[in-house]
Amino acid sequence: MPTLKVISLGCSKNTVDSEIIMGNAESSHWSLFPSDSLKNPDVLLINTCGFIGDAKNESIEMILRAVGLKISHKIHKLYVMGCLVERHGKELAQEIEEVDAWFGANKIEEVIHAIIEENIEVNLQDRELTTPSHYAYLKISEGCDRRCSFCAIPLIRGKHISRSIEDIVSEARALVHLGVKELIIIAQDVTYYGVDLYGERRISSLLQELLKIENLEWIRLQYLYPHGFPEDLIALMQREPKICKYIDIPLQHISSSVLDSMKRTSTKEQTEELLHKLRKALPNAAFRTTLIVGYPNETEADFEALKQFVREFRFERLGVFMYSAEEGTSAWDLGDKVSEDLKNHRADEIMELQESISYDINSSKIGKIYKVIIDRKEGDYYVGRTEYDSPEVDDEVLIPLEEKGLKIGAFYSVKITEAEAHDLYATTSVQ
């Protein structure tokens, strides 16, 4: 059997694309190697990220390492696809001639046909999961209609295109049939789902259909754009225990002048009003956000306002990006006025502040009981998560292996015994 290895870089949306390619290849009698396998395949496919500078560099470094394998005849063919190619494909093809073919974003069918050398009918629901078998990402739309000044995603992925409710539910049922217990709903803008298909936001309608699926325990929503946040979604999250009380809401900044330049369509006051509404409606929810520091017109006063906002709102989860100037975006013309040293300093200040907040919040959980799902064994611990934690990016709950008999993918009630800023320690002895 011919062999394929896929290396998927970047976001969870790339992960889904890679899983579809792998699933269709396997259905066409190809053998798959995990991305971390030391074996060399007949075909190596790299699915790149082109979002910001660091991600681009990682993708290019991976391509160059793969070129080394090609030159030494350890792989037969090398294909590269994804966001970096969509942005810079022509230049890459001129500079790196050893790559057999380049494919931009949203070219899944072309990639599959090139790999298996046959024009089969591609099944977009045929996926080889690369996540643990008890959770999976479910992509409900592609692209984005927003025009945030710093973001190249609309240039890469195109306009917002929703999948139909029927198609999404069909895939969700198939995933749950395979043993998936947690579906992580992903899109560039989950709250905007359905506008293009149905003339209105229909994320709540979609969730109501997903809630009917037997043996589905958790539904997690990621990337909830703040402007126009649906009121019916808030009500649904209040009453449905299967929808994780997890608000992943990327805000980027709090200064009204910075938000205006970013074309975020919300002011400081509107942002704070929404957050307070959500806190009141969902008092036990965990809030996750991402912020950008070093935006071209971010003044010292703007940054101080951002720090004060972080102190006051006390997000359970928070990440920081340093501004990356991306050609083709409207912010490109502003230049890159904040030095890299100052960007780093501001990012460190925010994360130091968040470290203290995270530790305080986690410490308040000691002695309390939570439902966790076990993701894996690592070192001396079972590693699990609460509904307040998304895989790979959030906190983990560590349970000693001495508590024998815990199963990967199963749910348990645990009592928190110790806390760190980003990890909790627990026991299944909850008496």
Side-chain angles (χ1 to χ4, degrees):
M1 296 173 65
T3 56
L4 169 69
K5 179 158 71 175
V6 179
I7 297 175
S8 191
L9 305 173
C11 66
S12 55
K13 291 174 282 295
N14 265 14
T15 298
V16 171
D17 292 347
S18 296
E19 290 176 347
I20 293 170
I21 292 167
M22 294 168 70
N24 280 265
E26 190 169 45
S27 295
S28 299
H29 310 294
W30 279 63
S31 179
L32 303 175
F33 290 158
S35 63
D36 58 355
S37 170
L38 297 177
K39 295 181 179 180
N40 295 312
D42 295 313
V43 175
L44 176 60
L45 170 67
I46 301 174
N47 192 355
T48 61
C49 179
F51 180 45
I52 57 176
D54 287 346
K56 292 178 184 178
N57 291 335
E58 180 188 15
S59 293
I60 291 170
E61 289 172 6
M62 183 62 70
I63 295 167
L64 294 177
R65 286 204 293 271
V67 164
L69 295 175
K70 179 87 184 297
I71 291 172
S72 59
H73 305 291
K74 292 181 179 179
I75 58 175
H76 180 55
K77 288 187 177 180
L78 172 59
Y79 296 138
V80 182
M81 67 173 291
C83 296
L84 181 68
V85 183
E86 188 72 29
R87 291 276 279 158
H88 304 289
K90 290 182 179 179
E91 303 98 291
L92 288 167
Q94 292 173 353
E95 294 290 331
I96 309 176
E97 297 178 352
E98 294 83 359
V99 173
D100 292 283
W102 303 84
F103 304 89
N106 304 327
K107 297 290 190 290
I108 292 176
E109 295 190 7
E110 291 181 25
V111 174
I112 294 170
H113 293 159
I115 291 170
I116 68 173
E117 298 181 338
E118 185 181 346
N119 288 334
I120 64 166
E121 184 175 348
V122 172
N123 180 357
L124 297 178
Q125 293 188 21
D126 187 358
R127 290 168 57 185
E128 175 69 20
L129 294 184
T130 57
T131 57
S133 60
H134 54 275
Y135 71 81
Y137 297 103
L138 184 61
K139 184 157 59 170
I140 64 172
S141 66
E142 190 57 87
C144 185
D145 286 350
R146 309 288 179 187
R147 286 295 182 266
C148 300
S149 68
F150 54 86
C151 184
I153 288 174
L155 303 174
I156 297 169
R157 291 283 185 170
K159 293 181 66 64
H160 177 95
I161 301 174
S162 300
R163 298 172 60 192
S164 71
I165 290 176
E166 293 77 13
D167 188 39
I168 296 168
V169 172
S170 173
E171 181 176 3
R173 290 188 185 279
L175 289 168
V176 173
H177 180 73
L178 293 174
V180 168
K181 298 177 182 178
E182 175 184 5
L183 287 175
I184 305 170
I185 309 300
I186 57 172
Q188 302 298 342
D189 181 357
V190 164
T191 58
Y192 201 65
Y193 170 75
V195 171
D196 54 317
L197 273 185
Y198 306 109
E200 60 182 359
R201 297 171 189 255
R202 294 289 294 275
I203 182 61
S204 294
S205 301
L206 170 61
L207 292 174
Q208 286 167 351
E209 293 302 314
L210 294 175
L211 286 165
K212 297 175 184 177
I213 300 175
E214 291 186 20
N215 300 319
L216 177 58
E217 296 268 351
W218 280 353
I219 300 173
R220 185 180 306 279
L221 305 177
Q222 289 195 327
Y223 318 121
L224 303 169
Y225 191 88
H227 184 74
F229 200 100
E231 293 285 341
D232 59 348
L233 177 58
I234 300 173
L236 187 64
M237 294 185 74
Q238 281 180 309
R239 67 176 184 265
E240 291 293 347
K242 287 188 176 183
I243 302 178
C244 295
K245 303 304 179 286
Y246 181 86
I247 309 293
D248 183 4
I249 186 165
L251 298 174
Q252 314 306 353
H253 217 281
I254 197 58
S255 162
S256 288
S257 62
V258 175
L259 290 170
D260 180 60
S261 182
M262 287 181 168
K263 300 185 178 179
R264 291 290 288 176
T265 68
S266 294
T267 63
K268 173 181 186 291
E269 291 74 23
Q270 290 169 329
T271 300
E272 290 178 336
E273 180 182 359
L274 172 62
L275 292 176
H276 290 311
K277 178 192 290 187
L278 290 169
R279 276 285 196 212
K280 183 177 180 180
L282 300 162
N284 298 319
F287 282 68
R288 176 177 180 81
T289 197
T290 51
L291 304 173
I292 294 175
V293 296
Y295 186 79
N297 67 353
E298 182 188 56
T299 65
E300 195 61 39
D302 293 326
F303 178 65
E304 288 300 321
L306 186 63
K307 286 199 298 182
Q308 187 61 26
F309 171 63
V310 171
R311 288 191 196 98
E312 292 177 354
F313 193 77
R314 296 176 64 82
F315 290 92
E316 283 77 10
R317 319 278 181 252
L318 186 146
V320 176
F321 288 98
M322 293 183 292
Y323 173 74
S324 174
E326 296 299 320
E327 190 172 359
T329 64
S330 58
W332 175 262
D333 294 336
L334 297 176
D336 198 358
K337 300 175 182 176
V338 181
S339 71
E340 292 301 307
D341 285 346
L342 185 53
K343 288 179 187 177
N344 274 294
H345 180 71
R346 288 178 177 177
D348 289 345
E349 278 197 65
I350 293 289
M351 291 313 299
E352 183 178 346
L353 181 56
Q354 181 61 31
E355 187 90 0
S356 175
I357 293 169
S358 295
Y359 178 75
D360 289 345
I361 291 173
N362 277 354
S363 295
S364 71
K365 297 176 181 178
I366 294 175
K368 296 180 180 179
I369 295 172
Y370 292 90
K371 178 181 176 181
V372 302
I373 190 168
I374 304 299
D375 281 341
R376 66 187 186 280
K377 293 180 184 179
E378 186 174 297
D380 296 327
Y381 296 96
Y382 295 100
V383 181
R385 289 176 293 111
T386 70
E387 69 175 293
Y388 309 113
D389 301 293
S390 194
E392 300 181 1
V393 295
D394 290 328
D395 292 5
E396 295 177 325
V397 181
L398 307 178
I399 305 162
L401 288 179
E402 286 84 356
E403 300 193 25
K404 298 179 180 179
L406 275 62
K407 296 180 179 178
I408 307 301
F411 289 90
Y412 298 91
S413 291
V414 303
K415 180 186 286 186
I416 306 303
T417 57
E418 298 177 55
E420 296 176 354
H422 301 295
D423 284 318
L424 297 167
Y425 295 82
T427 176
T428 53
S429 300
V430 296
Q431 300 299 324

